């Protein structure tokens, strides 16, 4: 990795075991760092790969755990905030003036396993976590630790239409590169995305695997889509609460709890909070990179007809017969 790589992808702390593995894994051009590697069928940069392996080797799931799984750039930050507000609504009433979501970025309250808790050779101790633990990952189903797959741990899955996902990923990685006087061409990254070479991609494998598993195991995996939450937020929030066995009572609804959670976690509210406007991760990336437009259909401002045709073709081919349909508007 070049010295100009964004800090959060630097490889200074890679173990010998990880370096050895990297030397034999298939690689392709990275979106941010020099290379992205194919491990167990999905693509990830070296620093995250080490985190994934530690997560796989060390994490022991408990039945009460709740893990948010997302395809990158599908609205992870938003769902982290919704989950936190929902699960903690007794401990932290949503009307509380010092609610944790008002002073913390959602990624701090619901940490990533491979990007945060197990990053850079950290051995994580969960003794300080209260139950249920709220955690997050981008790892595909087949690569989750056995204890996550086999326990009663609940998985909340979120995806988003591939066009907006791609545009969001392209902007995000470009913003990271901006500070290093570099940029990604949309054409080049689009071709990589269509070939399946994107963070935790191929996109369609990630989505389809969780989609199928959610049908097989409806009490273990809840499959959500960004566009559905945008269009019917109350319905989807109540669906989420029911799945997590903390349904919203009529009394709560009458008191405005649902409306207040949605308001607190809205793009406008979160983006304008001081913590998210000026705060940063310890590696230096600004929290505001996670709040760009927050809309359905921004792809229309970037896609050519050729791009739409190409992605349509791939998506139709991959999702044919699955029963899964994306919404683009
Ligand atoms: P991650 O998977 O890398 O953690 P993620 O949070 O999924 O990132 O990506 C941010 C996207 O979610 C951005 O989409 P955009 O680029 O198309 O704008 C961001 O704007 C959007 N987002 C963040 N918070 C919210 C929110 N509260 N409501 C709706 N969209 C949001």
């Amino acid at each position: 990795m070049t010295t100009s790589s964004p800090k959060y992808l630097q490889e200074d702390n890679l173990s010998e075991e990880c370096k050895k593995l990297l030397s034999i894994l298939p690689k392709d051009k990275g979106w941010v760092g020099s290379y992205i590697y194919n491990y167990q069928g999905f693509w990830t940069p070296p620093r995250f790969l080490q985190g994934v392996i530690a997560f796989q080797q060390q994490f022991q799931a408990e039945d009460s755990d709740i893990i948010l799984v997302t395809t990158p750039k599908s609205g992870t930050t938003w769902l982290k905030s919704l989950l936190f507000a929902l699960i903690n609504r007794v401990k932290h009433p949503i009307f509380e003036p010092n609610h944790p979501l008002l002073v913390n970025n959602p990624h701090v309250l619901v940490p990533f396993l491979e990007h945060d808790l197990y990053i850079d050779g950290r051995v994580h101790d969960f003794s300080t976590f209260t139950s249920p633990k709220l955690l997050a990952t981008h790892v595909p189903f087949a690569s989750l630790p056995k204890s996550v797959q086999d326990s009663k741990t609940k998985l909340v899955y979120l995806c988003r239409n591939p066009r907006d996902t791609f545009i969001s990923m392209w902007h995000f990685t470009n913003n990271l590169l901006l500070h290093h006087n570099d940029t990604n061409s949309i054409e080049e990254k689009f071709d990589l995305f269509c070939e399946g070479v994107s963070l935790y991609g191929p996109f369609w494998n990630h989505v389809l695997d969780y989609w199928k598993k959610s049908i097989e195991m409806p009490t273990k995996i809840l499959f959500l889509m960004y566009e559905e939450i945008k269009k019917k937020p109350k319905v989807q929030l109540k669906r989420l609460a029911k799945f997590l066995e903390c349904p919203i009572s009529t009394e709560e609804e009458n008191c405005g709890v649902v409306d207040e959670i949605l308001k607190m976690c809205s793009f406008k509210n979160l983006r304008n909070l001081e913590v998210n406007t000026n705060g940063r991760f310890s590696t230096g990336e600004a929290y505001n990179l996670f709040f760009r437009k927050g809309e359905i259909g921004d792809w229309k401002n970037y896609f050519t007809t050729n791009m739409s045709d190409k992605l349509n073709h791939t998506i139709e081919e991959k999702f044919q017969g699955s029963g899964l349909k994306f919404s683009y508007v």
Side-chain angles (χ1 to χ4, degrees):
M1 171 105 18
T2 61
T3 47
S4 65
S5 298
K7 247 188 180 171
Y8 100 127
L9 283 179
Q10 272 180 9
E11 298 166 24
D12 306 345
N13 292 314
L14 291 186
S15 65
E16 288 309 312
E17 183 198 357
C18 187
K19 285 185 196 158
K20 217 163 143 189
L21 181 62
L22 289 174
S23 70
I24 55 163
L25 288 180
K27 63 182 178 184
D28 211 320
K29 199 166 181 324
W31 285 58
V32 180
S34 48
Y35 292 107
I36 188 167
Y37 291 81
N38 192 296
Y39 172 70
Q40 298 183 343
F42 67 92
W43 295 93
T44 192
R47 184 167 180 243
F48 295 166
L49 173 66
Q50 179 163 281
V52 169
I53 294 170
F55 167 38
Q56 291 177 326
Q57 292 175 345
Q58 296 170 34
F59 183 69
Q60 272 306 315
E62 291 181 291
D63 286 346
S64 57
D65 292 346
I66 297 168
I67 304 184
L68 169 65
V69 190
T70 62
T71 44
K73 302 299 143 203
S74 60
T76 314
T77 315
W78 186 20
L79 212 65
K80 281 185 175 187
S81 68
L82 288 170
L83 269 174
F84 184 89
L86 192 64
I87 290 295
N88 291 294
R89 66 190 195 271
V90 174
K91 191 170 159 203
H92 299 294
I94 198 71
F95 302 99
E96 194 177 80
N98 296 322
H99 194 283
L101 274 165
L102 295 172
V103 286
N104 293 280
N105 177 265
H107 291 286
V108 172
L109 298 172
V110 184
F112 272 116
L113 285 145
E114 68 279 12
H115 294 179
D116 184 351
L117 303 179
Y118 289 112
I119 200 78
D120 297 337
R122 268 180 228 161
V123 176
H124 199 77
D125 167 20
F126 287 97
S127 58
T128 56
F129 275 66
T130 51
S131 181
K133 295 200 289 293
L134 271 183
L135 304 163
T137 183
H138 287 314
V139 170
F141 187 84
S143 294
L144 290 174
K146 282 292 281 169
S147 68
V148 175
Q149 295 186 11
D150 297 343
S151 64
K152 289 190 177 138
T153 297
K154 294 223 182 234
L155 303 180
V156 175
Y157 185 75
L158 177 71
C159 69
R160 183 182 193 182
N161 83 63
R163 297 184 204 168
D164 283 323
T165 301
F166 166 72
I167 291 298
S168 186
M169 197 179 288
W170 176 66
H171 273 290
F172 180 75
T173 51
N174 261 352
N175 274 323
L176 289 175
L177 291 171
L178 209 68
H179 303 286
H180 301 265
N181 299 321
D182 201 354
T183 183
N184 274 329
S185 95
I186 192 164
E187 293 82 8
E188 185 199 350
K189 292 306 163 203
F190 180 74
D191 286 345
L192 278 180
F193 187 85
C194 291
E195 285 158 25
V197 187
S198 60
L199 293 172
Y200 296 89
F203 172 87
W204 37 92
N205 289 359
H206 202 285
V207 176
L208 271 175
D209 279 358
Y210 278 103
W211 170 246
K212 287 179 191 155
K213 292 288 174 195
S214 74
I215 295 167
E216 271 170 40
M217 301 184 272
T219 55
K220 182 170 179 71
I221 307 180
L222 178 72
F223 191 96
L224 297 171
M225 290 172 122
Y226 182 91
E227 295 76 18
E228 288 182 353
I229 310 177
K230 272 268 173 194
K231 288 175 189 173
K232 293 199 169 157
K234 283 190 192 182
V235 173
Q236 296 301 322
L237 189 68
K238 286 198 269 180
R239 202 179 146 218
L240 178 62
K242 201 165 160 209
F243 170 77
L244 296 174
E245 294 166 21
C246 59
I248 291 167
S249 65
T250 315
E251 195 192 349
E252 281 182 299
E253 200 167 354
N254 290 342
C255 290
V257 169
V258 173
D259 290 324
E260 205 55 33
I261 290 179
L262 292 171
K263 199 167 123 198
M264 160 93 85
C265 302
S266 68
F267 178 80
K268 201 170 146 202
N269 185 56
L270 290 184
R271 189 188 58 171
N272 292 330
L273 293 173
E274 159 67 22
V275 61
N276 294 325
T277 312
N278 296 317
R280 288 177 182 276
F281 287 100
S282 55
T283 39
E285 294 72 37
Y287 292 148
N288 65 24
L289 293 185
F290 290 83
F291 303 96
R292 193 182 62 90
K293 273 202 168 172
E295 289 170 5
I296 308 172
D298 191 37
W299 61 271
K300 288 185 206 150
N301 296 315
Y302 300 90
F303 268 52
T304 60
T305 313
N306 281 349
M307 286 166 79
S308 288
D309 290 349
K310 184 172 172 180
L311 195 52
N312 276 1
H313 179 76
T314 310
I315 292 300
E316 267 166 35
E317 183 190 284
K318 302 288 180 187
F319 287 87
Q320 203 176 37
S322 70
L324 190 60
K325 286 256 173 294
F326 293 105
S327 159
Y328 296 98
V329 283

